[in-house]
Amino acid sequence: MEKKRILVGISGGIAIYKACQLVSNLSKTHEVQVVMTSHAKEFMSPLTFETLTGRPVYSEMFGPGVDHSKVPHIDLAKWADLIVIVPATANFLAKMAHGLADDLMSSMMLAARSPVLVCPAMNTYMLAHEATQENIHILESRGIHVLNASSGLLACGDYGAGKLPEPGQIQDIIETLLIEEKDLAGLNVTITAGPTREALDPVRFISNYSSGKMGYALAQAALDRGARVRLISGPVSIDPPSGVELYPVESAQDMFEAVQNLLDDTDMLIKAAAVADYRPKVILDQKIKKSDDDLTLSLERNPDILAWAGEHKKDRTVLCGFAMETRNLLKNAQKKLESKHCDLLVANSLKEEGAGFGTDTNVATLLWPDREETLPMMSKKALAHKILDALVAIKEAK
Ligand code: CTP
């Protein structure tokens, strides 16, 4: 993503220590300008943020050190592509909600024209107070993004909602807000994710280690880029991104039927699911009881959903498969790309450090019918966007 100008406004709360990590992370890929309230400076020296960003911290409207020939609260607001208030205290939320402008940061907020994200963090009773809740509603009704505080043991010793979410989570939301390009707007994207479960008896099944993280990251990324997203998901323990249409399935047969129903109405089908190739020949009604003998299971083939989609899709539909291999990665992946009639295949090796089931990162090679590109290790979210970049280009060329 190109460098953006992010203005981080810091008000005075103990969660400021997490703002340091956020500012440090953001400064690696963006231009970051910090503004602090005078209470924030009681918790932390501006020097910390000046060192992290390489820029002076702005705080005062008047007084020594302020260049009165400039109008910093207006210039700062105009400069920003995005403003994030982190942490946002009850007092600062109230000032924003009611338009108070009695210091640099609150005055700057009145002049803001860019998207604004506020991240409240405070004592749980202060957060639950009607005044704070009403202020949050006022801000939301004006289109300001308010990140829900998380719950846990608070610095004051109380337990409840009021904690500032982790810097990584705030950064993800910032990156999402910065994506202006809605290059999937108007397109129906169908994504399969997670494992399938093949029942053996009422208590047992055959499955695999897929966590669903790659498919869910794709679903989030496609949503962020404006698509209508249908997520056909096997059983996983992560939450679907809000805004997707979720089709929960168990077995490969269930997944197959969901794909069959949606294929005609799909512009891009992304098959990130780890589908079980075989299922027990019979599903027993009663629990299998143990005996002293060995047990042999008889398995039969499941349908190959991707191969079916490759044969039945319309020409304009873009098809993306995945290949998870433990050896001969590129040779096997190339074979799957061709035999399943994919437009793009994402190949990853289980043996590679930073790739595989359950990790937050992935190392992948993208294969087109006529070329391939090996990508460095990156987050599943970043990889999701790389894959979508490739699919958008394919779609445009169709
Ligand atoms: N796939 C599918 N239906 C199946 C098996 C796989 O749709 N019954 C899809 C997967 O979602 C993935 C791609 O096919 O997009 C490749 O899956 P993978 O498990 O790597 O390969 P298989 O085709 O099953 O071949 P093998 O297990 O022999 O490597």
Side-chain angles (χ1 to χ4, degrees):
M1 183 190 281
E2 71 175 289
K3 256 189 178 189
K4 297 281 182 173
R5 295 189 291 210
I6 303 175
L7 202 150
V8 181
I10 299 181
S11 58
I14 187 59
I16 201 168
Y17 75 95
K18 288 188 183 168
C20 300
Q21 186 64 58
L22 177 69
V23 166
S24 166
N25 293 353
L26 290 173
S27 300
K28 295 197 171 97
T29 41
H30 298 288
E31 283 182 64
V32 180
Q33 172 65 58
V34 170
V35 174
M36 296 173 83
T37 63
S38 55
H39 285 173
K41 290 193 292 182
E42 297 290 329
F43 283 87
M44 180 130 340
S45 161
L47 178 66
T48 305
F49 295 108
E50 291 180 344
T51 311
L52 289 171
T53 61
R55 288 169 166 271
V57 166
Y58 289 86
S59 185
E60 306 302 331
M61 256 326 216
F62 311 106
V66 177
D67 180 353
H68 293 291
S69 66
K70 304 238 164 70
V71 193
H73 60 291
I74 307 295
D75 290 348
L76 287 164
K78 282 186 185 158
W79 174 87
D81 291 318
L82 179 125
I83 299 177
V84 52
I85 304 297
V86 55
T89 58
N91 182 48
F92 199 74
L93 292 174
K95 283 166 72 167
M96 278 179 73
H98 298 285
L100 266 69
D102 61 355
D103 63 3
L104 180 85
M105 199 158 109
S106 53
S107 307
M108 177 188 84
M109 294 314 292
L110 274 186
R113 286 290 165 269
S114 55
V116 175
L117 171 68
V118 297
C119 309
M122 65 196 74
N123 170 270
T124 194
Y125 298 111
M126 292 174 78
L127 180 62
H129 195 284
E130 291 90 332
T132 308
Q133 287 302 311
E134 274 174 28
N135 289 336
I136 287 175
H137 286 311
I138 291 172
L139 295 179
E140 283 176 329
S141 70
R142 291 184 194 144
I144 287 175
H145 304 274
V146 180
L147 178 62
N148 285 337
S150 47
S151 293
L153 183 61
L154 304 172
C156 55
D158 285 332
Y159 193 90
K163 279 170 85 77
L164 187 70
E166 292 310 309
Q169 197 184 330
I170 301 172
Q171 189 179 359
D172 278 352
I173 294 167
I174 291 172
E175 301 290 357
T176 300
L177 292 173
L178 286 171
I179 296 172
E180 286 158 340
E181 211 177 8
K182 301 284 182 199
D183 53 4
L184 293 177
L187 295 184
N188 292 337
V189 175
T190 302
I191 298 169
T192 69
T196 63
R197 279 183 184 171
E198 309 302 324
L200 206 53
D201 69 12
V203 291
R204 302 181 181 95
F205 54 81
I206 297 172
S207 190
N208 58 62
Y209 293 116
S210 171
S211 64
K213 283 184 177 175
M214 190 65 238
Y216 278 51
L218 278 157
Q220 180 69 66
L223 274 177
D224 293 341
R225 294 167 76 143
R228 172 186 184 189
V229 180
R230 277 94 158 234
L231 179 60
I232 304 171
S233 176
V236 294
S237 55
I238 50 178
D239 292 328
S242 59
V244 294
E245 294 167 43
L246 184 68
Y247 292 72
V249 295
E250 287 267 327
S251 66
Q253 186 59 36
D254 297 341
M255 188 172 276
F256 185 35
E257 284 164 23
V259 169
Q260 284 178 307
N261 287 336
L262 292 175
L263 186 65
D264 275 354
D265 192 27
T266 292
D267 298 294
M268 280 180 192
L269 174 62
I270 307 176
K271 286 236 62 243
V275 186
D277 289 322
Y278 294 91
R279 63 175 174 237
K281 220 169 190 159
V282 276
I283 304 175
L284 294 160
D285 277 351
Q286 305 296 333
K287 184 184 171 201
I288 303 170
K289 301 298 283 181
K290 68 174 168 294
S291 71
D292 289 338
D293 297 330
D294 290 345
L295 175 70
T296 305
L297 294 175
S298 201
L299 303 177
E300 64 185 0
R301 274 289 305 270
N302 265 327
D304 189 319
I305 307 169
L306 182 59
W308 178 88
E311 276 166 30
H312 291 84
K313 75 178 183 72
K314 295 180 185 139
D315 281 349
R316 59 166 183 82
T317 305
V318 177
L319 188 59
C320 172
F322 274 68
M324 171 72 88
E325 305 290 346
T326 53
R327 62 188 159 176
N328 300 331
L329 175 70
L330 294 183
K331 203 165 143 236
N332 285 330
Q334 190 66 44
K335 236 191 251 167
K336 285 177 191 170
L337 174 81
E338 283 162 26
S339 65
K340 304 193 190 206
H341 307 288
C342 295
D343 297 293
L344 184 79
L345 197 111
V346 183
N348 41 128
S349 164
L350 249 191
K351 301 280 178 191
E352 190 95 32
E353 179 93 8
F357 294 128
T359 57
D360 289 320
T361 54
N362 210 343
V363 186
T365 300
L366 304 187
L367 291 97
W368 292 256
D370 56 348
R371 66 191 171 97
E372 60 193 48
E373 182 186 348
T374 298
L375 300 169
M377 182 166 71
M378 59 181 75
S379 68
K380 285 186 172 168
K381 183 181 172 181
L383 178 60
H385 280 289
K386 286 271 178 204
I387 294 168
L388 292 178
D389 289 345
L391 295 179
V392 166
I394 293 168
K395 178 79 187 148
E396 280 167 4
K398 272 197 183 260

